[in-house]
Amino acid sequence: MGVREGLLALLDDGPRYGYQLKTTFEGATGGVWPLNVGQVYTTLERLQRDGLVTVLDLDDQKSYELTAAGREALGAWWQTVPVDDPPPRDELMLKVLLAIEHGPDHALTVVTRHRTALVSLLQQRRRADGAAPDSLAARLVADALVVRAEADLRWLDLCESRLTTDVGRKP
Amino acid sequence: MGVREGLLALLDDGPRYGYQLKTTFEGATGGVWPLNVGQVYTTLERLQRDGLVTVLDLDDQKSYELTAAGREALGAWWQTVPVDDPPPRDELMLKVLLAIEHGPDHALTVVTRHRTALVSLLQQRRRADGAAPDSLAARLVADALVVRAEADLRWLDLCESRLTTDVGRKP
DNA sequence: CGACACATGTAACACGTTACATGATTTG
DNA sequence: CAAATCATGTAACGTGTTACATGTGTCG
């Protein structure tokens, strides 16, 4: 549910054609999220099917346009605050939780390995973040990656402390 | 790529049958990540197809077992530190970035709306985290949700400051 | 001319989700 | 007995990813 809404949002600025949507999407996201053109067209097809978008068939190019329903759906998206319930499965969490099933020793191994890797990744990202201010979008994405990595790191620390103190009692 | 490895990891403790995998998966993840039984069977089919798992056809129940290749794949998974490149598309980020295309005013609206929602969500999660220590797994998941929400909040603050100071210059 | 950007698609595949169908066993 | 749990699947659908095919225009 990402590309779909993305295209809707871009079409809110007026009719666009497929390839244009690809490039502006990539531009808006600071070039961090490449978008295969093919997916743009298939997604547009689905949006048509769902009545959120119509096509203006011009000479040789096709122009896509929001319908009233599409504008409504977009409005709903802007209003909605995404709260995932159940939360999306995350690979790091999953790995640690499953490692616990194999015993706290294995879990601690996994935790420390990931922490050292995350520390270097974080340094790397901080450098990238501090350096070239490409665009506002790229900057914000870089910020997000740093903040996320910090959060993961903090969580790993929490895991370690809980694993070392709570050893023995697993209700 | 979550369920697949999850099942492999669980099968490392010995042969299991499908339904058992569902319940132990949900148990290992503190009941936070429900897993549809149907998906267990389809995933096991794919794992068979890929030669990572074999079936022991007993009287009326089927028991699944890791192959050598399966054990190897699992080992690789344990060793691997997940670094997504490009990073996965995140709805919050996407929304803010696309809102910027519509002008900083719209972006600021989105940012502040999400911040207030996140603040209350965070309080709620902190309560849940501080309360009943269900199991180690449930506790760790709750921790993760809190830490993630804090990170998102921090990022939104960053967005706001960048949006208010960087206004005007978008290279 | 040759490479590259522009422009539009199709096909195959992977994974996840939900709903549906079926039957055995356990337990209140 | 009735309901819940255990147990195994199938079918349909949605989305995302990659690769492939095709053609036009532009620019060095």
Side-chain angles (χ1 to χ4, degrees):
Chain A
M1 286 272 183
V3 176
R4 208 178 146 87
E5 287 79 6
L7 297 188
L8 281 184
L10 293 179
L11 285 176
D12 200 23
D13 282 335
R16 298 289 142 94
Y17 39 93
Y19 191 86
Q20 216 175 1
L21 289 171
K22 171 210 159 77
T23 56
T24 59
F25 181 93
E26 289 179 343
T29 55
V32 194
W33 288 328
L35 180 57
N36 188 290
V37 201
Q39 197 177 346
V40 174
Y41 293 106
T42 58
T43 304
L44 283 171
E45 219 170 74
R46 291 161 186 164
L47 286 172
Q48 267 184 268
R49 177 201 58 189
D50 298 342
L52 306 181
V53 146
T54 50
V55 197
L56 305 174
D57 233 319
L58 302 180
D59 346 84
D60 54 341
Q61 286 189 353
K62 289 188 175 183
S63 201
Y64 297 86
E65 196 179 28
L66 283 189
T67 63
R71 208 163 266 107
E72 192 185 356
L74 180 59
W77 188 62
W78 285 128
Q79 300 298 326
T80 301
V81 170
V83 46
D84 300 314
D85 187 47
R89 283 190 279 265
D90 177 75
E91 187 166 349
L92 179 58
M93 273 198 251
L94 194 59
K95 220 178 254 187
V96 173
L97 293 180
L98 292 176
I100 292 178
E101 293 293 290
H102 283 237
D105 46 337
H106 190 200
L108 279 173
T109 306
V110 170
V111 166
T112 57
R113 165 156 52 235
H114 281 77
R115 182 171 39 222
T116 63
L118 262 182
V119 165
S120 72
L121 181 65
L122 184 56
Q123 288 177 338
Q124 188 180 321
R125 283 182 174 173
R126 276 204 241 259
R127 268 197 303 277
D129 198 11
D134 287 337
S135 67
L136 180 57
R139 166 61 58 103
L140 289 178
V141 172
D143 288 339
L145 294 182
V146 167
V147 171
R148 287 285 168 87
E150 288 172 342
D152 284 351
L153 213 49
R154 225 170 277 130
W155 184 68
L156 286 176
D157 288 340
L158 258 175
C159 285
E160 191 178 25
S161 76
R162 293 223 199 272
L163 277 171
T164 49
T165 64
D166 293 14
V167 159
R169 49 176 178 87
K170 284 198 299 180
Chain B
M1 286 270 183
V3 176
R4 210 178 143 89
E5 287 80 6
L7 297 188
L8 282 184
L10 293 178
L11 285 175
D12 200 24
D13 283 334
R16 297 289 142 94
Y17 38 93
Y19 191 86
Q20 217 175 1
L21 289 171
K22 171 211 160 80
T23 56
T24 59
F25 181 93
E26 289 179 343
T29 55
V32 194
W33 288 327
L35 180 56
N36 189 291
V37 200
Q39 197 176 347
V40 173
Y41 293 105
T42 58
T43 304
L44 283 171
E45 218 170 76
R46 289 161 185 164
L47 286 172
Q48 267 184 269
R49 178 201 58 190
D50 298 342
L52 305 181
V53 147
T54 50
V55 196
L56 305 174
D57 233 318
L58 303 179
D59 346 84
D60 54 341
Q61 286 188 355
K62 290 187 174 182
S63 201
Y64 296 86
E65 197 179 27
L66 282 189
T67 64
R71 207 163 268 106
E72 192 185 355
L74 180 58
W77 189 61
W78 285 127
Q79 300 298 327
T80 302
V81 170
V83 46
D84 299 314
D85 187 48
R89 283 191 279 266
D90 177 76
E91 185 165 349
L92 179 58
M93 272 198 251
L94 194 59
K95 219 177 256 189
V96 172
L97 293 180
L98 292 176
I100 292 178
E101 293 294 289
H102 283 238
D105 46 338
H106 190 199
L108 280 174
T109 305
V110 169
V111 166
T112 56
R113 165 157 50 234
H114 281 77
R115 182 171 38 221
T116 63
L118 261 183
V119 165
S120 72
L121 181 64
L122 184 55
Q123 289 177 338
Q124 188 179 321
R125 283 181 175 174
R126 277 204 240 257
R127 269 197 301 276
D129 198 12
D134 288 338
S135 68
L136 180 56
R139 166 62 57 101
L140 289 178
V141 172
D143 288 339
L145 294 182
V146 167
V147 171
R148 288 285 167 89
E150 288 171 343
D152 284 351
L153 213 49
R154 224 170 278 130
W155 184 68
L156 286 176
D157 288 340
L158 257 175
C159 285
E160 191 178 25
S161 75
R162 294 223 198 272
L163 278 171
T164 49
T165 63
D166 292 14
V167 160
R169 48 177 180 89
K170 284 199 297 181

